[in-house]
Structures are given as C-alpha cells and as structure tokens.
Amino acid sequence: MRNAEVVKILQDIADLLELKGENQFKIRAYQRATRSIEHFPQSVEQLAKEGRLNDIPGVGEGIGKKLNELFSTGHLKYYEELRSQFPSGTSALLDVPGIGPKTAIKLSGELGISSLSELEEAIQEGKVASLYRLGDKIAQNIEHHLKLLRSKENRIPIGVALPVAENVISSLKSSPVINLTTAGSLRRFKETAGDIDILGTSDRCEEVLNTFAHLPEVKEILALGETKSSVIVAPDLQVDLRVVPHDSFGSSLQYFTGSKDHNIKLRERGRRQGLKLSEYGITELDSGITHKFTHEEDFYHWLGLSFIPPELREGQEEIELAAKSSLPHLLELSNIRGDFHVHTDWSDGQNSVEEMAVAAKDMGYEFITITDHSRGRGVAHGLDEERVLKQLERIREVEGRVGIHILSGIEVDIRADGNLDLPDSVLSKLDVVIASVHSSFSQDRDRMTKRMLSAVENSQVDILGHPSGRLLEEREEVALDFETLFSACKETKTVLEINCQPKRLDLKDSYIREAIKAGVKLSLGSDAHSISQLQYMHFGVGIARRGWCESKHVLNTLSFEEVRQWMKEKVCAPLSI
DNA sequence: GCCGTTTTCGGCCCGACTGTTTTCAGTCG
C-alpha cells in the first residue's frame, strides 16, 4: 500500500472524528500522524514489516496497531465503523473553507446534504441561509468558496508564489509600514504554498491594511480586520497580510512563520516552563509579565534555544537540537561556487555558451558546467557524438576568453532499458556526465530501480539528474527504491542532483535528508535554459536547507580543482547490491 | 491518541475574524 493511500485513510479518520465531536486532542493526534506520513520518505508498509512504525513521529501504540491491521488484512474495522456512522459525503463538506464539523453536521443532518453539488443546490434554494445561526452572508461565503475550490489549482509552486509575494510587498512600500517580509510556508521555503503570508509592522495598522485590501491587483476581499486582512489576487491566489506594532515584530514573525507543528511543540515546551508564547511575546504565567521581541533571534535565545532557521521549523527534532546548540550549519547561497547543470543553444537553451559563461562569471561563480541534452532528446536538438566533440572545442575556446572555469559536460538520457544515449568512448572525453530519465516514467518500481542502478554503475556517470522525475503539481515522481539507490550512489561515489528548477526541486527535501544520512554527496544544478534561469540556484539552496543540507554535503562549495579531482574518483567496481 | 528537562498519567497553543447574536459560536491558521 502506498503512503498516499495511508494518508487518505488517516485523514478521513481525523475528519470523521471531527464530525463526531471527538476529543480534539485525539483528532490532532491523527492529523499529526497524517502529516508525518505525508512527508515520510520511506514506505510505511515496509516500516511496518520491520516493526518500526514508532520511528514515525506521532505514530504510537494506537495508530500503529491500526496501521498493522490495515497492512495485514487490507481493511480497518475502526475506519469502517466510523464511516458507517455518517452519510457518505459528509466529510467531503469539510473541504470547503468556512465549513467546519458543526456546520457539516447541520447541513447533513437537517438538510440531508451529502455532496458538494447538493450543497450548491441547497444554497441556491435558500435552505442553507435559513438554518439556525447561519444566514445569507455565511451561505454566500460558502457558495463562494465552493466555486473557488472547483476552479482552483492545487497548491502553488514556490516559483509562482514568491514573485507574487514580492510584488505585493513592493506595492505596499509607499504605505506607513516597515519590516515587510514573507512568512508562513513561503518563508520556510516549502516547495508549494497554500496561500501567501506577508507580515509587516506599523503604528498605523488599519491604514496599511486598508491600502492592502484595495490594491489594484486585489480581486476580492475575504477579511479585513484590525491586524489582518485576507484577499484574493489574480489568478485566484489568497494573500494574507498581518500588521503588528513594531515592538512585537520578532514574536510575530516567529509565530506567523510556523509551521503549526513547530509552534505547538514550542508552546508546549514553554508551558512546561510556566510561559505563554504568542505573537505578542512571551508571558511569564506567575507574574503576568510579557516580554516583547523586536528580533526573532532574541525570541529563540530568550527561550534558551539557538536560532532555528525557518526551513527547519517543521516540528521534527529541531527544537531539541536547538536546546543543545546542535543544529546543523545550513548551506547558504553565498557558499555556492559554481553550477553543475546548464543548457545552451547547442540544444534547447536560449543563450550561447559564451553568454552563459559571462553571466555565471558576473554572478561571482568560479566555474560552470555546460550540460546540453544528448541526441535522444530529438525535440531538444540533443547532441550526437560529432557535435559533443565540436562543442568541447568551443567550450575550451570560450573558457580562455571569458575567464571562468568551464567544465565540459552532457545531460545524457538513460534509456528505458538502462543504457545510456551516448557511448562511453564519447562520455569519457567530458568532465561531467549527468545521466537523467526523460522517458518511460511509468515503469514499475523494479524496472525503474534497475534502470537507475545501471546508470549509477556506469563509470562514466558522475551525477544522476533530477532523480525522482517529478514535476510539481503535474507529474508524480517515478516508482523507485530510493534506499537502494542511495546506497548504490554512496558505494560508487555517484552524486545525486538537486535540480533547482522551481517546477522540479528534485530531489525533494525529505529525500535530500535521507540521502545525506546515507552518506551520498549532492550537487545543485540550476538546469538553466537561459541566463535569467541561472538564478534558480536560490530555489535549490532553499530546498537543500529544508533537507538539513550543510555546505560540506554539496559539491558546489568545492573549488574548481577539487571538483575535477572528485570527478576522477568515481568508483568503477561493479556493485555488490 | 501521543508523549515526557516534573510526568508512564495528565496534560495537550493561542488569538483573530466574521456573522449572528445581544454575549458568543464557529472557523481558521
């Protein structure tokens, strides 16, 4: 059973428990376990076989037992009993923002609504507005969210969300607000965002919020209060702005950055120390004294913690490590000395070798790697043997002229049968060989794993490109035994790419962390197809940081000479796996 | 249902906003 199916069932259980009005902490326990499994890099079923379910944070005796039942019998009695207590479709109502458990029960119980289309009908007939403690406004609000839900794409990739946030921030620059910054999942650099959170400080909060709610790009105002406002901007993105007094900027930024799990853990820890944490500061419960924080760092330090970078705030073990001053020193953009994955107009890029080299030099890089596609990518004008050699000459010539080290390379296709698209005799002439899957994505796990391993075993292959093959919100990752891949990479000194294209971000954060634990080296490649895309490096660094990546884990922080040395050390012995 | 810098039992984050009400319930993040 795939993790996604387990997630679906646990989420359903949490929803049903909400409808039932169960103990809120029990509900939260299921939600927490759900979130854990959602981001868990290994197969939960496999873990169950090894009796290691308790390795998953939030999975204890009760949920563990249920998962075991589910895996061994294919059914879960508890789940089936819960489902039988409510008309089917009732929990689907909870997907509509504005409908919580109480409203869902009311709609289902009093109006017999069990689907979103029935809900829509009932609203139009005025039945919903006539219920006790509901009314026209609430009915309209639900109808509106219902429409939005239907038209809305899923979550927004960070590559789309970040520019929107930056636009809004620059539109607000002329109003009396300072400290404007992104918060929420965007600041934590999550690969996708549900909405966009922005925070600022002002002594004229209401004025700022008013300006915000009436910006030209705002299509609709969802809420407008004294400290926060929510709006929809084109194309159907929700943006939340919170404006607080200057002296609570530190605590507010901490609070609004989240994640929810991180904040809950932090506050629970505070409670045990007799402290109440909120966006307004830290209150000592004994004396009632509230401490305010202008800087977020001071908030953490006051609690006896080292500063926790936003990318780590996911409620894993970051708080415990911060208490021991044992957090990793994360990779930073300024540590990057070169790019390992760049296309030019020799294949499907827009700029010449020289233009890319000049741009990279302007960014302060020591080296750049030209890795155009191989011939199999016909649509991308992939290079055949002859053109590879011609490009090599060109690269050497440009290198001398521009004054930046250029590694010659290729992004060679891994064909469906695991063979590479160019012979070893050609690949051996290049400094860096990236091998990538660009076809037959739907192979089963066994075949795909063998396919990848045969590339890894090839002594010419230095880097495995965008290993999971996913495209955010477009294409699922391939079926692959990552654990086996990681140990093969470690054994052969094959590097795994962190592809920085915001649509890919591949490897993703949880795999990055697993790969590092397995002792695999990583490389960041912008996969730039134009000069401006060289800047994608910062997306890769963000996602690497979420994978607890330090500068020693990635090749991009090495000098040019060190990189060349590394590439020579590829282990050629056949794998023992 | 989970979990431990006091705990294997007894806790479990905290406040804003809205609409429908005359003081609050429901929802959200």
Side-chain angles (χ1 to χ4, degrees):
Chain A
M1 186 176 282
R2 292 173 65 105
N3 285 5
E5 296 170 64
V6 180
V7 165
K8 166 85 176 65
I9 290 170
L10 291 180
Q11 181 60 57
D12 264 4
I13 292 177
D15 284 348
L16 291 165
L17 291 175
E18 254 194 295
L19 291 177
K20 216 179 149 190
E22 256 289 359
N23 177 340
Q24 56 162 318
F25 301 111
K26 190 166 167 179
I27 299 168
R28 215 173 78 189
Y30 274 95
Q31 288 170 337
R32 178 151 184 262
T34 307
R35 278 197 296 274
S36 269
I37 293 177
E38 214 170 2
H39 300 113
F40 207 74
Q42 289 154 273
S43 154
V44 174
E45 181 164 16
Q46 185 58 39
L47 224 59
K49 278 184 193 150
E50 295 165 21
R52 290 167 48 210
L53 282 177
N54 287 52
D55 288 5
I56 307 170
V59 175
E61 203 187 326
I63 296 179
K65 231 170 140 182
K66 293 191 172 67
L67 290 179
N68 278 324
E69 181 190 332
L70 186 62
F71 294 138
S72 57
T73 68
H75 297 279
L76 182 54
K77 256 195 196 142
Y78 180 67
Y79 178 42
E80 283 156 18
E81 278 170 16
L82 266 177
R83 278 209 298 187
S84 70
Q85 292 175 28
F86 299 93
S88 69
T90 310
S91 58
L93 300 177
L94 296 174
D95 291 343
V96 184
I99 298 184
K102 300 285 161 77
T103 312
I105 286 289
K106 216 183 267 183
L107 293 170
S108 156
E110 295 182 32
L111 298 178
I113 293 170
S114 63
S115 71
L116 298 187
S117 49
E118 284 173 21
L119 174 61
E120 195 167 22
E121 206 175 307
I123 292 171
Q124 279 158 9
E125 290 169 5
K127 289 182 185 164
V128 172
S130 68
L131 293 175
Y132 177 67
R133 266 202 169 269
L134 298 183
D136 281 338
K137 290 243 178 155
I138 286 179
Q140 276 169 26
N141 187 40
I142 291 174
E143 185 177 24
H144 177 75
H145 277 113
L146 202 52
K147 281 188 181 139
L148 217 59
L149 192 68
R150 290 198 165 143
S151 69
K152 201 171 152 187
E153 309 247 328
N154 299 329
R155 293 175 61 87
I156 324 146
I158 187 166
V160 176
L162 210 50
V164 172
E166 283 160 2
N167 264 340
V168 171
I169 286 176
S170 79
S171 307
L172 287 171
K173 285 272 161 67
S174 53
S175 55
V177 59
I178 56 169
N179 290 322
L180 278 171
T181 174
T182 57
S185 54
L186 214 48
R187 180 162 182 251
R188 300 199 312 279
F189 230 93
K190 230 179 144 182
E191 61 194 31
T192 60
D195 56 21
I196 293 168
D197 291 307
I198 298 173
L199 175 70
T201 69
S202 174
D203 41 22
R204 285 143 71 190
C205 297
E206 278 186 69
E207 188 182 332
V208 177
L209 286 164
N210 245 310
T211 310
F212 166 73
H214 296 95
L215 287 175
E217 54 264 48
V218 169
K219 278 170 64 182
E220 196 190 333
I221 302 171
L222 297 177
L224 178 56
E226 287 171 21
T227 70
K228 77 165 262 191
S229 171
S230 295
V231 302
I232 303 282
V233 303
D236 288 337
L237 294 184
Q238 182 172 332
V239 184
D240 293 353
L241 173 69
R242 334 252 176 167
V243 185
V244 298
H246 303 302
D247 62 358
S248 26
F249 179 58
S251 48
S252 293
L253 183 57
Q254 192 289 317
Y255 173 61
F256 291 125
T257 297
S259 66
K260 194 186 175 95
D261 288 340
H262 175 83
N263 282 357
I264 288 175
K265 276 194 166 186
L266 200 63
R267 286 171 185 214
E268 282 174 355
R269 182 178 181 274
R271 280 304 280 225
R272 291 196 293 272
Q273 300 170 332
L275 303 169
K276 187 181 72 166
L277 280 53
S278 84
E279 55 263 55
Y280 297 110
I282 299 174
T283 306
E284 299 184 49
L285 290 171
D286 286 349
S287 60
I289 297 172
T290 298
H291 303 268
K292 301 243 174 201
F293 300 91
T294 316
H295 300 291
E296 197 187 32
E297 286 84 351
D298 297 336
F299 185 92
Y300 281 102
H301 292 159
W302 198 91
L303 291 167
L305 300 170
S306 43
F307 178 72
I308 304 179
E311 295 91 339
L312 298 187
R313 301 182 197 168
E314 293 295 337
Q316 298 176 314
E317 67 268 44
E318 70 273 10
I319 295 172
E320 291 83 346
L321 291 175
K324 292 189 284 187
S325 299
S326 308
L327 284 174
H329 190 72
L330 297 182
L331 175 72
E332 288 175 30
L333 189 57
S334 59
N335 301 143
I336 300 293
R337 296 162 81 164
D339 196 330
F340 280 104
H341 191 157
V342 172
H343 293 268
T344 72
D345 56 9
W346 281 70
S347 64
D348 58 350
Q350 288 172 25
N351 294 98
S352 66
V353 171
E354 178 158 0
E355 286 165 335
M356 294 306 271
V358 169
K361 192 185 174 194
D362 289 346
M363 287 169 72
Y365 284 167
E366 280 174 40
F367 64 88
I368 187 174
T369 317
I370 302 296
T371 52
D372 276 305
H373 289 288
S374 62
R375 59 189 173 189
R377 298 284 82 213
V379 286
H381 307 295
L383 275 58
D384 58 16
E385 302 181 33
E386 197 183 331
R387 291 182 70 220
V388 167
L389 299 179
K390 271 193 185 163
Q391 192 193 43
L392 194 51
E393 279 174 33
R394 176 72 179 155
I395 285 172
R396 291 296 158 246
E397 185 234 323
V398 170
E399 185 175 34
R401 197 142 33 87
V402 175
I404 179 172
H405 295 296
I406 307 181
L407 291 150
S408 61
I410 188 100
E411 182 180 15
V412 64
D413 270 24
I414 307 172
R415 293 178 185 158
D417 61 4
N419 285 316
L420 299 182
D421 197 28
L422 285 169
D424 288 0
S425 57
V426 176
L427 299 179
S428 66
K429 295 191 165 63
L430 301 168
D431 297 320
V432 176
V433 174
I434 301 178
S436 305
V437 164
H438 286 118
S439 59
S440 305
F441 293 102
S442 51
Q443 287 179 333
D444 65 41
R445 188 175 147 107
D446 264 5
R447 255 184 104 185
M448 185 59 85
T449 304
K450 282 186 186 131
R451 180 181 180 187
M452 293 283 194
L453 288 185
S454 70
V456 168
E457 279 178 23
N458 185 310
S459 62
Q460 299 305 323
V461 172
D462 302 297
I463 298 173
L464 208 54
H466 44 73
S468 82
R470 70 164 183 180
L471 291 176
L472 278 175
E473 307 292 318
E474 258 181 58
R475 186 171 68 212
E476 291 288 312
E477 63 183 38
V478 297
L480 181 60
D481 180 348
F482 281 94
E483 229 168 308
T484 302
L485 176 69
F486 293 161
S487 36
C489 287
K490 174 166 171 23
E491 198 168 329
T492 56
K493 295 188 91 173
T494 307
V495 177
L496 286 176
E497 178 181 68
I498 298 173
N499 189 294
C500 308
Q501 286 272 340
K503 269 195 136 174
R504 292 191 181 272
L505 297 176
D506 181 8
L507 294 173
K508 68 177 177 187
D509 46 19
S510 54
Y511 287 143
I512 292 172
R513 198 163 180 208
E514 287 301 302
I516 289 172
K517 280 186 191 162
V520 179
K521 283 276 189 226
L522 302 164
S523 70
L524 280 81
S526 67
D527 199 357
H529 285 67
S530 65
I531 288 174
S532 62
Q533 291 186 3
L534 287 167
Q535 306 298 334
Y536 285 166
M537 186 60 76
H538 89 273
F539 288 114
V541 170
I543 222 71
R545 289 167 63 87
R546 283 183 61 84
W548 295 60
C549 184
E550 302 177 52
S551 106
K552 65 183 178 198
H553 298 133
V554 303
L555 295 189
N556 306 62
T557 60
L558 301 178
S559 70
F560 172 69
E561 279 312 322
E562 289 168 329
V563 168
R564 282 179 62 110
Q565 191 53 41
W566 169 275
M567 293 302 168
K568 285 182 193 156
E569 285 173 8
K570 163 93 189 197
V571 174
C572 306
L575 287 175
S576 57
I577 294 165

